[in-house]
Amino acid sequence: MERRNFIKFTLAGIGASAVAPAMALAEPAKLPAGADIYYTKDAPGRWSGKVATHLPSIQVEKSGEKVTVKVVTAHEVKGYEHYIVKHVLLDKDYKFINEYLFDPTKDKEPVSTFTLENYQGPIYALSLCNKHDLWLNSAEV
């Protein structure tokens, strides 16, 4: 290695070792809940033209103690090039209930059905697109 490059990289390494510990101790940025993690009908962010084809719709049917939740995303399936990767169902506290992973070689459309027992309250569905991020919608059970 040339002497100048050796000196340049040595000084850069010393500078980085002095700055990195200070950055590690810095307080993390405080973001509002959900900021830059998922998109909604009211907050589509950079994907404002994608709401109709990426926001999951939720259909709820009750039969006694049994609740059937059908999640549909009106999104075309173009093989692995562009598709809905999965649907995730969350409870009223945003806790994981279940998920369905789509196989773009077999699934013709992103539709999933979940069965719940004795559930009441809000339910949340997430739809993950391989190109246009994560979308959240809710319904009442």
Side-chain angles (χ1 to χ4, degrees):
M1 182 184 297
E2 290 184 21
R3 184 176 175 172
R4 288 183 187 182
N5 284 340
F6 177 76
I7 293 170
K8 182 172 47 174
F9 290 129
T10 301
L11 290 175
I14 292 170
S17 66
V19 173
M23 290 175 61
L25 294 174
E27 188 173 322
K30 300 219 185 318
L31 297 173
D36 298 329
I37 297 173
Y38 59 81
Y39 299 95
T40 65
K41 180 180 179 182
D42 296 329
R46 63 186 175 152
W47 305 120
S48 62
K50 304 291 183 186
V51 175
T53 57
H54 289 77
L55 186 73
S57 67
I58 306 168
Q59 301 165 11
V60 177
E61 290 184 25
K62 294 181 186 178
S63 178
E65 303 284 321
K66 182 179 168 184
V67 177
T68 303
V69 178
K70 184 177 180 181
V71 180
V72 179
T73 304
H75 190 285
E76 65 183 342
V77 177
K78 289 185 169 182
Y80 285 101
E81 178 188 334
H82 189 194
Y83 73 108
I84 297 299
V85 176
K86 68 179 174 175
H87 284 154
V88 178
L89 203 61
L90 305 174
D91 71 7
K92 62 186 175 207
D93 297 318
Y94 298 95
K95 303 283 186 206
F96 178 84
I97 295 175
N98 207 343
E99 69 182 347
Y100 183 84
L101 293 161
F102 295 101
D103 180 345
T105 63
K106 296 177 185 173
D107 295 311
K108 302 296 180 207
E109 56 185 354
V111 176
S112 57
T113 304
F114 305 94
T115 303
L116 308 175
E117 297 288 332
N118 299 321
Y119 186 88
Q120 290 183 343
I123 194 116
Y124 300 93
L126 293 164
S127 180
L128 177 63
C129 175
N130 70 323
K131 287 190 175 183
H132 301 108
D133 301 320
L134 188 62
W135 292 79
L136 174 79
N137 202 0
S138 64
E140 193 68 30
V141 175

